[in-house]
Amino acid sequence: MTEASPRLTPEEEKLTIRDITVAAESQTKEGDTFYLITQRWWQDWLDYVNHSQPANSNDGSSLELHDSVGSNALKRPSSIDNSDLIDEAESGKPSLGNELHDTLVEGTDYILLPEKVWNQFYAWYGGGPVLARKVINSGLSQTELSVEVYPLRLQLHLIPKGDHSTTRISKKETIGELYKRACEIFHLNAEEVRIWDYLGRSHVLMDNMEKTLDEANIQMDQDILVEVGTIGSVPSSVLENGAAGNGTPALVEPSRHSIAGGMSANRGLSRNGNSLPNLDSVKEADKTYGTSGVSTRGSSCGLTGLMNLGNTCFMNSAIQCLVHTPEFARYFREDYYQEINRQNPLGMVGELALAFGDLLRKLWAPGRNPVAPRPFKSKLSRFAPQFSGYNQHDSQELLAFLLDGLHEDLNRVKHKPYIKSKDAEGRSDEEVADEYWANHIARNDSIIVDVCQGQYKSTLVCPVCKKVSVTFDPFMYLSLPLQFTSNRSMTVTVFTCDGSAPPAAYTVAVPKQGRCRDLQQALATPCSLKQNEKLLLAEIRGHKIYQYMEDPLIPLSSIKDDEHLVAYKIPNLPKNTKYLQLNHRREEREAGSGMKPYGTPLVSSILCEDVLTSSDIQSIVHTMLSPMLRAENGGQVNQTTTRSSAAAAQLPAATNSTEECSNGSLPSKHENGGSSRVTDLQKLPLVFVDENNVCIELSSIADDKTLKYSSSSPSILVFINWSKKLLKNYDTHYLENLPEVSKYGPPTKKARTEPLSLYTCLESFLREEPLVPEDMWYCPRCKERRQASKKLDLWRLPEVLVIHLKRFSYSRSMKHKLETFVNFPIHEFDLTNYVANKNNSQRQLYELYALTNHYGSMGSGHYTAYIKLLEENRWYNFDDSHISTINEDDVKSPAAYVLFYRRVKTEKPLSTKKQS
């Protein structure tokens, strides 16, 4: 495009754009056009027009930038290039024109220019592509102007033909406009067309032509069914099986209570992969009971279900508990719009709060038709991508995000002050706690804080200098462990390196919050550990040693129940030792398929100053394997798994090799006549890994050949290649099928008949325990990170106390769920004795009003909510769109997951009775 002539100076361009912008922004109205321009080009232009301005100049223009370029003149930008904003269509996919990338952020990727500003730039610079967008009314009151950068992208499905197309349309356009566009796209006669909003499991006829798509709650990538055919009759091309002559789905005869037309349930997929509906299977809603199953005549509001959009029960259950929290129901049904914080960088510019408030109002509106929470799900997916799609998620994780997100969107503090915490310096806990809380409120003040936030007292004690640090931190909910006792059973397989006993598995009881040294001590007696021996713990994964657990302070809580632990009984040698690690491989079943990892590695100790030969390794390996040699091949008879510390019978030539030296180590080769000690032993098929990581077959080298190994690695690697013939000589079942640390099984009858008290869970949560190594505390007195002990106390309790029962434990390979029945109070949940702040003269009593339940396993389970309508004093079961009454006696079950308690107002004096 030809540039304007004569060319303006940078200063003239700047002033021209500033004047046009000020005039245009003051006159912006609904329906105006704005244009996207890439942030990269915009920044180049700003640098160009500002390069000669002083750094401290500011004439009030929004185009002003500090001079960060220097005195050198900048090159005038080339033509506008918006190509980095465009998402190129994939090969084979239809294009909608200039489609924007889905994740563009205003101010980072692009800025919006009023039409007159864009026209001026275009006249000066030309370029493109041109990206025009309309101004619409938005917000709760529909009076806030915003630019619709991303119009709705809708998936149109033509039935019965099965054709589909994608279109872009403003959410402020009417259903009539969508109807018209569908007819144009598919070249249809308007008299024969109806369009349907596909909700996943039900379908709504879109017949109000004046209603906007926004009012109809149509969302991005929504599936719209375009039905064509003579209404109320069957086209002649329809066969008895409901398919047209060309094999595509076709209309079927509608019944009296069905919607005419439809697709076969196994044909046609929506964008999210779900089958498109069979329309004639959808019945009219019952006018008296609806799909909720509860009569709508003459009863109170709040009994509206939520449709399951596809594994969204985790979201539905959490939302129902929140919207039935009286403080939230009252707040969001009133005018909360003024409290929305759009400037909070930690928030979601108020959109999450608006979406939640809108959904809450729908659920509390008169009527019982279930609500499809698509607008809320859309906002949730945008701000929390971890909850996008249609997979099952953790309801408590969603709840935590939602409470935090609503708080930030509704934070009354617009500018958070910086406040440095002061040391207690001998002041009373009450004074310090109030100071911490005041500092917290100075930065965080919202309805969420008012209702749900409490305060901990956290005490840390340095294990070295005994420095005590006390802080008072806020909390939104309590996550309580489900523990019956303070002990834990762990199973470990013990291997000997001296051939004195076959491998054996031992199950021992250890403290749940104990360390590896506790496990070693518990194993010492049953495995007959000698004074000059030690146990080397190791974790086994994939037939290899994943890690040695030599640090005695490693917490046992870091060892998951599905892991495999072994302990090697080895001499307690000086530090200048290495571990000779024997890994096993065996032939594949099909001949010629090579070797694959097998069994459990064995470990022995080697003094670093010793010279290691091929004969030495053969002798050591023979010694380690000797307890597994079958009797007919000269080995000991292993009728049962022995736990004796006496030496087992050895091969004659290997007997001397197992005699211990006075220092507890294996004898050196020089004490046993050098390499002659294995002359009578059959050479095993061993492979040695040398210092250069090269594999050497020991059978191919001389017995007295000195082997060089890596000095930097803690282990010397040796492999044994088990042939089918060699396996017949050894009983290797000891090396296979290691038991798990703790095998999960169905709950025992004892566990079911002895329910765990919620008070016991709380006491376990508040119990003093050491910090995990990766979360060590920096002691200000020692000036080092220390593994301090930590003690939590409740200090300030909220109006609504949310309690999460930690039913799920996660490991690298699987997720476990505890089906423990927790006996939680419904009335008079008394926390008085658990609050460290004794200045409060009132009893801390709570009453249950809602909870979420989880049934089944983590990946394929189902969530529901039990909620008490306080106006009716009656409990209901909210199971997605279905609602039914339940008895209070049925509220308690092993499925209870997240509990919601409200404070009970009482004037009763404090009770000194201890809770059991």
Side-chain angles (χ1 to χ4, degrees), residues 566-689:
V566 298
Y568 298 106
K569 190 161 64 167
I570 58 177
N572 195 4
L573 299 177
K575 290 187 177 180
N576 57 337
T577 60
K578 281 186 176 292
Y579 301 128
L580 188 145
Q581 180 179 321
L582 178 66
N583 286 3
H584 308 273
R585 298 185 296 197
R586 70 176 179 183
E587 291 180 352
E588 292 279 7
R589 292 183 177 179
E590 295 82 10
S593 300
M595 312 296 288
K596 70 174 183 178
Y598 164 71
T600 305
L602 301 178
V603 171
S604 185
S605 298
I606 300 293
L607 286 171
C608 293
E609 58 264 23
D610 277 354
V611 176
L612 195 63
T613 67
S614 173
S615 177
D616 294 328
I617 293 179
Q618 287 281 355
S619 179
I620 293 170
V621 172
H622 267 290
T623 300
M624 290 192 291
L625 294 177
S626 61
M628 291 176 280
L629 190 65
R630 298 186 187 277
E632 59 269 23
N633 294 293
Q636 64 182 15
V637 179
N638 295 320
Q639 295 177 345
T640 59
T641 301
T642 177
R643 284 165 170 76
S644 170
S645 62
Q650 302 295 314
L651 285 169
T655 301
N656 292 338
S657 69
T658 62
E659 295 175 357
E660 293 184 359
C661 296
S662 59
N663 64 356
S665 66
L666 292 174
S668 70
K669 67 170 187 172
H670 306 291
E671 296 169 345
N672 290 279
S675 61
S676 62
R677 61 184 175 177
V678 292
T679 54
D680 296 331
L681 295 176
Q682 177 188 8
K683 284 189 176 182
L684 295 169
L686 303 180
V687 177
F688 174 80
V689 181

Side-chain angles (χ1 to χ4, degrees), residues 315 319 352 355-356 359 373-381 402:
M315 180 183 76
I319 288 175
L352 184 67
F356 179 80
L359 181 57
R374 284 200 314 272
F376 179 82
K377 179 71 164 60
S378 176
K379 295 295 183 186
L380 179 69
S381 300
L402 191 52

Side-chain angles (χ1 to χ4, degrees), residues 442-565:
R443 295 171 53 84
N444 303 276
D445 183 17
S446 70
I447 181 64
I448 306 298
V449 175
D450 297 342
V451 175
C452 290
Q453 283 201 351
Q455 190 179 28
Y456 289 132
K457 176 186 177 183
S458 177
T459 305
L460 292 170
V461 180
C462 177
V464 178
C465 70
K466 305 304 178 184
K467 163 72 176 177
V468 178
S469 173
V470 178
T471 57
F472 293 86
D473 305 312
F475 68 86
M476 194 88 76
Y477 52 86
L478 303 179
S479 286
L480 305 187
L482 305 186
Q483 297 178 338
F484 277 103
T485 67
S486 59
N487 289 335
R488 173 188 183 189
S489 293
M490 300 186 72
T491 300
V492 181
T493 304
V494 178
F495 293 86
T496 62
C497 74
D498 63 358
S500 61
Y506 301 94
T507 299
V508 294
V510 292
K512 283 190 175 181
Q513 303 304 323
R515 307 288 175 175
C516 276
R517 64 190 176 197
D518 299 309
L519 179 58
Q520 291 168 325
Q521 291 171 2
L523 290 168
T525 299
C527 77
S528 303
L529 189 71
K530 297 179 182 178
Q531 199 165 11
N532 57 2
E533 292 177 326
K534 71 174 184 179
L535 289 175
L536 173 64
L537 290 173
E539 181 185 347
I540 305 299
R541 290 194 207 169
H543 308 290
K544 298 179 181 178
I545 293 178
Y546 175 72
Q547 63 173 339
Y548 290 113
M549 308 180 75
E550 296 184 273
D551 184 355
L553 295 180
I554 293 176
L556 295 180
S557 59
S558 66
I559 303 173
K560 307 304 181 186
D561 290 320
D562 62 334
E563 292 177 356
H564 302 275
L565 284 190

Side-chain angles (χ1 to χ4, degrees), residues 128-146:
V130 179
L131 304 173
R133 296 293 187 268
K134 293 293 184 180
V135 175
I136 63 173
N137 283 323
S138 62
L140 191 65
S141 60
Q142 293 295 305
T143 58
E144 179 186 351
L145 296 178
S146 64

